[in-house]
Amino acid sequence: MHEMAIAESIAEQVEAAIAAAGHPRVLEIRVRAGALRAIVPEALTFCFAAVAQGSPLEGASLQVAVVPVTILCPACGVRAELEDGAPLICGRCGGPGDLIAGRELLLESIEVEE
Ligand SMILES: [Zn+2]
């Protein structure tokens, strides 16, 4: 279950960010996870709650947005979102596509109490 390690990494990043801001209470954290990361949002949310327990992040809500795998075809310029597990192939010309989204893991925003 790699979600636990990811949850710990997110908690570390958020704690570092709020330390710099004088430790406000965190209400909501948003992350964007590429589909290729194979993250189960519910599992990540669950792991994050476990990691946050007893820490300054306890009670913060974690929102996970899954970013679809997206390719850009260098031959014909088509940009397409692919189904999970589909090969990175252009649907128009059948050539290999360049991956432009789907592998990222980004801390998008942290909402804190005013
Ligand atoms: Zn193409």
Side-chain angles (χ1 to χ4, degrees), residues 73 75-78 90 92-95:
C73 176
C76 66
V78 163
C90 173
R92 183 193 281 175
C93 72

Side-chain angles (χ1 to χ4, degrees), residues 1 7 13 27-29 64 82:
M1 186 144 126
Q13 289 181 59
L27 303 176
E28 188 180 88
I29 300 154
V64 184
L82 303 180

Side-chain angles (χ1 to χ4, degrees), residues 75-113:
C76 66
V78 163
R79 182 191 160 112
E81 288 182 3
L82 303 180
E83 300 284 324
D84 282 357
L88 305 182
I89 297 292
C90 173
R92 183 193 281 175
C93 72
D98 292 333
L99 185 70
I100 56 172
R103 212 192 288 282
E104 62 270 69
L105 182 62
L106 298 172
L107 184 58
E108 193 174 34
S109 68
I110 303 170
E111 191 189 328
V112 298
E113 202 167 60

Side-chain angles (χ1 to χ4, degrees), residues 3-113:
E3 278 86 358
M4 186 55 88
I6 295 166
E8 284 170 356
S9 157
I10 292 169
E12 278 172 23
Q13 289 181 59
V14 174
E15 287 195 41
I18 62 171
H23 294 282
R25 202 169 88 79
V26 177
L27 303 176
E28 188 180 88
I29 300 154
R30 289 179 179 273
V31 298
R32 291 168 66 80
L36 291 175
R37 294 274 181 165
I39 290 169
V40 179
E42 294 76 21
L44 184 55
T45 305
F46 177 82
C47 289
F48 181 79
V51 169
Q53 199 160 33
S55 88
L57 302 180
E58 185 166 347
S61 127
L62 179 68
Q63 304 291 326
V64 184
V66 176
V67 181
V69 174
T70 307
I71 59 164
L72 180 67
C73 176
C76 66
V78 163
R79 182 191 160 112
E81 288 182 3
L82 303 180
E83 300 284 324
D84 282 357
L88 305 182
I89 297 292
C90 173
R92 183 193 281 175
C93 72
D98 292 333
L99 185 70
I100 56 172
R103 212 192 288 282
E104 62 270 69
L105 182 62
L106 298 172
L107 184 58
E108 193 174 34
S109 68
I110 303 170
E111 191 189 328
V112 298
E113 202 167 60

